[in-house]
C-alpha cells in the first residue's frame, strides 16, 4: 500500500495504522466467542459470558488504583518536575498550569501532532491490550499453562509486534547513512525496545490475570506512554537535588514492588478463578 511507504509519523500513515489496528482489535473481539464459546449464547465453560474473560467489566476504583500503582515507578520523575517548578519560583498553581498546558498540546490545532498523540495515548494502548491481553491471556490459561508462564509468554508476542520499528527506521535511512555503526545503533535500540515492551507486557498480563479488568491495563498502558521512560538527567544534577530525585526513584520502585501484596490488587486472581483454577 502506498501509504505504508510514508514516514511513520506522517498524518496519512498514522490514520492508516490506526484504522488497521482498530480493525484487528474489533475483529479479535468478534471472533472470540466463536473460537472459545460453547453455546449459542456465547458463554464459555461454566456459563460465564465471554465478556468476563475479555475483562469487559466496570471497575473504576480498581482501575484508578492501577494508575496509582504505575505512577509509583515515576515518583522520581514527579519529584524532579516539582523541584524544577520550585527552582523557577512557582508553586502548586504553576504546576497545575503547566500540566494543563501539556494536555492542551495533545489537542492542539496542528493536525499531525494531534493524530500522533491520539495514536500513542489512545488507539495504540487500547488495541494492543485488547489483542495481547484480553484475547490471549485467558485462552492460554485455559489451555493448561500456569498463570506465571502466561504472564511471561504473552509479552513475547507483544515484544515481537514492535520489531517492525527497526525496519521502519532502517528503511528511511538514506543509503549513504546505512553504515555498520548506524545499523548497530538501530539494533541496540531494537533490543532495548524489545526488552522494555516485554517487561511491560509481563506486568500488564499479571495485572489482567489478577484484576480481570481490560480498562485497567489500558489506563496503565496510556499512563506509561504519557510519562515515557524515566529521565536519567538527574544523575548530572549538583547538590542535594541529585540525591532527592535518586532516592525518590528508589522509594517509588520499593513502593511499586510492595504494592503487589496490598489492597491495590484483589486478594485472589480473578481470571484463574473464573476458570476454576
Amino acid at each position: 500500500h502506498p501509504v505504508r511507504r510514508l514516514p511513520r509519523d506522517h498524518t496519512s500513515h498514522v490514520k492508516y495504522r490506526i484504522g488497521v489496528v482498530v480493525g484487528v482489535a474489533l475483529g479479535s473481539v468478534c471472533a472470540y466467542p466463536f473460537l472459545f464459546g460453547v453455546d449459542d449464547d456465547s458463554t464459555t465453560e461454566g456459563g460465564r459470558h465471554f465478556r468476563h474473560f475479555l475483562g469487559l467489566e466496570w471497575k473504576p476504583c480498581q482501575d484508578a488504583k492501577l494508575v496509582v500503582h504505575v505512577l509509583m515507578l515515576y515518583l522520581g520523575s514527579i519529584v524532579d518536575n516539582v523541584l524544577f517548578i520550585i527552582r523557577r519560583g512557582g508553586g502548586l498553581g504553576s504546576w497545575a498550569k503547566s500540566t494543563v498546558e501539556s494536555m492542551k498540546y495533545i489537542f492542539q490545532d496542528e493536525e499531525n501532532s494531534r493524530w500522533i498523540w491520539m495514536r500513542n495515548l489512545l488507539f495504540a494502548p487500547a488495541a494492543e491490550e485488547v489483542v495481547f491481553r484480553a484475547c490471549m491471556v485467558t485462552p492460554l490459561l485455559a489451555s493448561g499453562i500456569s498463570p506465571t508462564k502466561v504472564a511471561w509468554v504473552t509479552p513475547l508476542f507483544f515484544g515481537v509486534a514492535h520489531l517492525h520499528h527497526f525496519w521502519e527506521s532502517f528503511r528511511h535511512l538514506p543509503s549513504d547513512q546505512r553504515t555498520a555503526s548506524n545499523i548497530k545503533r538501530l539494533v541496540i535500540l531494537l533490543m532495548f525496545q524489545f526488552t522494555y515492551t516485554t517487561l511491560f507486557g509481563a506486568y500488564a498480563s499479571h495485572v489482567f490475570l489478577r484484576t480481570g479488568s481490560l480498562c485497567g491495563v489500558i489506563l496503565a498502558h496510556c499512563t506509561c506512554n504519557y510519562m515515557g521512560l524515566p529521565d536519567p538527567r538527574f544523575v548530572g544534577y549538583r547538590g542535594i537535588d541529585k540525591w532527592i530525585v535518586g532516592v525518590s526513584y528508589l522509594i517509588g520502585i520499593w513502593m511499586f514492588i510492595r504494592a503487589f501484596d496490598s489492597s491495590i490488587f484483589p486478594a485472589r486472581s480473578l481470571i484463574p478463578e473464573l476458570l476454576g483454577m
Side-chain angles (χ1 to χ4, degrees):
H1 195 288
V3 175
R4 298 180 66 181
R5 291 194 288 268
L6 295 172
R8 180 173 180 267
D9 289 337
H10 190 282
T11 304
S12 297
H13 195 168
V14 172
K15 291 179 179 179
Y16 170 79
R17 285 291 181 89
I18 287 175
V20 170
V21 298
V22 169
V24 169
L26 291 176
S28 300
V29 171
C30 292
Y32 192 92
F34 296 100
L35 293 174
F36 305 110
V38 295
D39 58 35
D40 293 336
D41 294 324
S42 298
T43 58
T44 54
E45 188 174 354
R48 290 277 189 171
H49 194 275
F50 76 93
R51 69 178 179 84
H52 296 287
F53 297 91
L54 285 171
L56 300 176
E57 305 270 6
W58 175 244
K59 302 177 179 179
C61 293
Q62 175 64 73
D63 299 341
K65 288 191 288 186
L66 289 177
V67 172
V68 172
H69 188 231
V70 170
L71 287 174
M72 291 177 185
L73 282 177
Y74 293 97
L75 181 62
S77 297
I78 295 170
V79 170
D80 192 6
N81 287 329
V82 170
L83 290 175
F84 176 74
I85 291 169
I86 292 175
R87 286 194 294 268
R88 289 174 54 190
L92 183 60
S94 176
W95 174 81
K97 183 179 179 180
S98 64
T99 302
V100 171
E101 289 298 320
S102 68
M103 295 302 293
K104 283 182 178 179
Y105 173 76
I106 298 174
F107 302 102
Q108 65 179 343
D109 293 333
E110 188 180 343
E111 183 183 23
N112 194 50
S113 295
R114 183 168 64 251
W115 278 100
I116 290 172
W117 276 101
M118 287 173 66
R119 176 195 65 193
N120 295 342
L121 297 183
L122 178 60
F123 291 106
E128 288 173 352
E129 295 309 319
V130 166
V131 173
F132 294 105
R133 244 61 67 185
C135 292
M136 293 185 68
V137 167
T138 303
L140 286 173
L141 195 63
S143 71
I145 303 176
S146 69
T148 301
K149 288 182 179 179
V150 168
W152 286 104
V153 168
T154 51
L156 297 179
F157 296 99
F158 182 59
V160 168
H162 288 79
L163 295 184
H164 70 280
H165 290 305
F166 170 82
W167 173 245
E168 290 287 333
S169 300
F170 178 79
R171 185 165 61 91
H172 289 101
L173 269 180
S175 56
D176 60 335
Q177 295 182 23
R178 295 179 181 180
T179 60
S181 60
N182 280 337
I183 292 175
K184 181 181 178 181
R185 177 179 60 83
L186 290 178
V187 170
I188 291 173
L189 289 173
L190 171 70
M191 297 309 297
F192 178 71
Q193 185 178 44
F194 178 79
T195 299
Y196 79 72
T197 52
T198 299
L199 289 174
F200 173 79
Y203 168 75
S205 297
H206 177 82
V207 166
F208 184 75
L209 282 164
R210 292 189 65 178
T211 66
S213 174
L214 174 60
C215 183
V217 291
I218 290 175
L219 287 174
H221 197 151
C222 293
T223 302
C224 286
N225 281 12
Y226 177 73
M227 296 295 292
L229 292 173
D231 192 342
R233 66 182 177 182
F234 75 92
V235 176
Y237 291 173
R238 295 180 180 179
I240 195 172
D241 284 4
K242 174 180 179 179
W243 295 101
I244 291 175
V245 177
V247 170
S248 297
Y249 272 116
L250 293 176
I251 292 174
I253 293 171
W254 176 81
M255 291 169 61
F256 178 81
I257 295 172
R258 293 281 295 177
F260 279 107
D261 296 320
S262 71
S263 60
I264 285 180
F265 292 93
R268 292 173 294 184
S269 297
L270 298 187
I271 297 296
E273 190 176 71
L274 285 174
L275 293 171
M277 300 180 68

